[in-house]
């Protein structure tokens, strides 16, 4: 059967959520956000039944409607979700796709004075709303979060910050071990700023927003480093502090330390009780990941082991950072099994 002729067994409900937390955010990004909720087969026919829920977070530059983007000869993730539950591959579960995009590319699902209150939006607005509208099992023992890349980062740190809400996590190639995934970019950032923008991020953004985005080879690294600084090292007044000297690429130690404080590998030690309370932890990454996030996955697994968390589903598989959507149902099935009553 061709992907475009798939008959859905469950239902995908589309909403627009008006957020108080995102009103007046520093970037002027919309406070009304799309929200998708997948209901498994049989939901409408069993009005007394309640279900575990899994929240899905997107990667950097991802927007919600991009989950419908189709790669050649492959099904989209929402279609794979329906196939998983329709085929009985996992206990039925409600799946929620959340939009935390910003005009810098993303939010890392944190509250920041430079981007907005996206952690608050997810935890204090979206979760209670979903619980009030849909028949969830509204307790942390039955609620999980999953994502890839920056979404995988959000899936790691959100349960550490809010173990009262989330009892399980799944991270696919999530940002971790910052010296491996972020630090190597800094030299390229400094060179690109020098060669093309007279050392100025302001000049970069003026150029970037006046032409097709990501059309230049240096765009992705420049955007990534600035966006991460906006999330990890913004001052209370919203000033974005970069962790490198843009003339040389040399580290600015006091700013870099602010980044490292948000590294899941380091955070694990400070949030040991929260992680020990998780009912499900799933970690994977491709062994050829372009951002070396397989090293971060291993480092996070070892950090968990150091605090006594050994019940972890962990796999390094043959793959890159891209085209790994076929891995997502594996994690979703694991979470659904562990978070079900």
């Amino acid at each position: 059967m061709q992907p475009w002729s798939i008959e859905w067994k469950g239902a995908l409900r589309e909403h627009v959520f008006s957020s108080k937390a995102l009103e007046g955010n520093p970037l002027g990004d919309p406070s009304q956000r799309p929200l998708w909720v997948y209901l498994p087969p049989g939901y409408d026919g069993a009005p007394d039944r309640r279900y575990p829920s899994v929240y899905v977070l997107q990667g950097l530059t991802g927007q919600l409607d991009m989950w419908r983007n189709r790669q050649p000869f492959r099904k989209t993730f929402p279609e794979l979700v329906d196939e998983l539950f329709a085929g009985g591959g996992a206990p039925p579960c409600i799946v929620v796709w959340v939009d935390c995009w910003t005009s810098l590319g993303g939010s890392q699902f944190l509250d920041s004075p430079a981007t907005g209150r996206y952690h608050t939006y997810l935890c204090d607005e979206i979760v209670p709303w979903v619980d009030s509208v849909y028949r969830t099992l509204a307790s942390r023992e039955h609620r999980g979060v999953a994502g890839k890349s920056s979404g995988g980062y959000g899936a790691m740190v959100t349960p550490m910050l809010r173990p009262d809400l989330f009892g399980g996590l799944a991270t696919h190639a999530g940002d971790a071990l910052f010296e491996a995934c972020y630090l190597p970019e800094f030299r390229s950032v400094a060179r690109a700023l020098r060669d093309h923008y007279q050392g100025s991020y302001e000049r970069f953004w003026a150029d970037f927003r006046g032409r097709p985005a990501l059309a230049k080879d240096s765009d992705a690294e420049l955007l990534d480093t600035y966006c991460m600084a906006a999330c990890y090292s913004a001052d209370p007044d919203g000033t974005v502090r970069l962790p490198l000297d843009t003339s040389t690429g040399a580290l600015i130690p006091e700013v870099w330390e602010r980044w490292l404080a948000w590294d899941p590998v380091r955070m694990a030690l400070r949030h040991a009780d929260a992680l020990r309370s998780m009912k499900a932890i799933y970690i994977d990454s491709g062994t050829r990941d372009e951002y070396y996030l397989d090293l971060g996955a291993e480092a996070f697994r070892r950090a968990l082991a150091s605090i006594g968390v050994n019940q972890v589903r962990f796999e390094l598989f043959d793959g890159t950072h891209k085209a790994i959507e076929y891995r997502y149902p594996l994690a979703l099935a694991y979470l659904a099994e562990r978070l079900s009553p």
Side-chain angles (χ1 to χ4, degrees):
M1 181 178 291
Q2 296 296 329
W4 53 82
S5 63
I6 288 173
E7 294 183 6
W8 283 58
K9 303 301 182 183
L12 188 66
R13 305 278 176 83
E14 299 186 29
H15 303 275
V16 175
F17 187 89
S18 295
S19 169
K20 294 293 185 183
L22 299 183
E23 285 183 357
N25 65 80
L27 297 174
D29 290 329
S31 59
Q32 288 192 325
R33 295 299 177 101
L35 179 72
W36 294 354
V37 180
Y38 172 82
L39 305 176
Y43 179 90
D44 289 335
D48 295 326
R49 184 172 184 177
R50 293 187 170 271
Y51 300 83
S53 56
V54 175
Y55 289 73
V56 177
L57 310 180
Q58 82 273 21
L60 189 68
T61 73
Q63 295 177 248
L64 199 67
D65 56 0
M66 293 170 65
W67 288 111
R68 285 201 175 101
N69 290 354
R70 186 179 305 285
Q71 299 187 60
F73 306 107
R74 296 189 181 212
K75 297 172 184 176
T76 67
F77 181 38
E79 290 168 346
L80 290 171
V81 168
D82 191 56
E83 184 178 77
L84 173 70
F85 292 117
C93 181
I94 292 173
V95 182
V96 184
W97 282 270
V98 182
D99 182 78
C100 289
W101 174 89
T102 75
S103 53
L104 297 180
S107 64
Q108 295 301 92
F109 310 92
L110 301 173
D111 286 352
S112 165
T115 57
R117 300 168 63 209
Y118 288 88
H119 178 74
T120 297
Y121 165 67
L122 168 62
C123 295
D124 294 337
E125 291 188 329
I126 295 299
V127 169
W129 184 86
V130 170
D131 286 343
S132 70
V133 173
Y134 293 100
R135 297 195 313 277
T136 64
L137 290 162
S139 65
R140 53 97 57 186
E141 290 81 9
H142 306 296
R143 187 184 296 114
V145 58
K148 175 214 171 183
S149 196
S150 282
Y153 173 84
M156 285 184 278
V157 302
T158 303
M160 287 195 252
L161 299 173
R162 292 298 303 269
D164 59 312
L165 289 182
F166 294 96
L169 69 91
T171 175
H172 304 279
D175 297 7
L177 196 64
F178 285 3
E179 61 266 43
C181 65
Y182 294 145
L183 188 58
E185 290 186 342
F186 294 174
R187 60 192 179 186
S188 300
V189 166
R191 181 178 286 174
L193 289 173
R194 179 197 68 193
D195 292 349
H196 304 294
Y197 301 107
Q198 299 178 31
S200 167
Y201 251 112
E202 289 74 17
R203 289 179 180 273
F204 163 70
W205 284 115
D207 175 52
F208 182 82
R209 290 177 173 140
R211 58 173 169 81
L214 303 176
K216 293 184 178 180
D217 290 342
S218 59
D219 280 355
E221 289 178 322
L222 287 167
L223 182 149
D224 183 62
T225 295
Y226 190 91
C227 182
M228 295 306 111
C231 297
Y232 301 144
S233 55
D235 290 345
D237 65 358
T239 300
V240 176
R241 299 293 180 187
L242 294 167
L244 69 150
D245 182 325
T246 56
S247 298
T248 65
L251 276 180
I252 301 174
E254 61 270 23
V255 182
W256 179 238
E257 287 298 321
R258 294 172 68 181
W259 281 43
L260 292 180
W262 286 110
D263 183 350
V265 175
R266 276 87 175 178
M267 290 179 66
L269 304 180
R270 302 196 305 272
H271 297 274
D273 288 343
L275 289 166
R276 283 193 286 260
S277 76
M278 293 294 119
K279 294 186 66 178
I281 298 178
Y282 177 106
I283 307 166
D284 75 10
S285 180
T287 55
R288 293 178 287 120
D289 188 281
E290 295 88 338
Y291 308 101
Y292 293 85
L293 292 167
D294 51 322
L295 304 183
E298 176 65 29
F300 186 55
R301 184 192 70 79
R302 293 187 180 202
L304 293 175
S306 75
I307 58 172
V309 179
N310 295 300
Q311 294 298 313
V312 176
R313 175 76 175 271
F314 177 81
E315 184 179 358
L316 297 180
F317 58 91
D318 181 28
T320 67
H321 195 69
K322 300 176 182 178
I324 63 170
E325 79 292 334
Y326 67 94
R327 303 287 308 182
Y328 306 164
L330 302 176
L332 182 56
Y334 182 77
L335 291 179
E337 289 165 1
R338 300 295 294 267
L339 299 175
S340 291

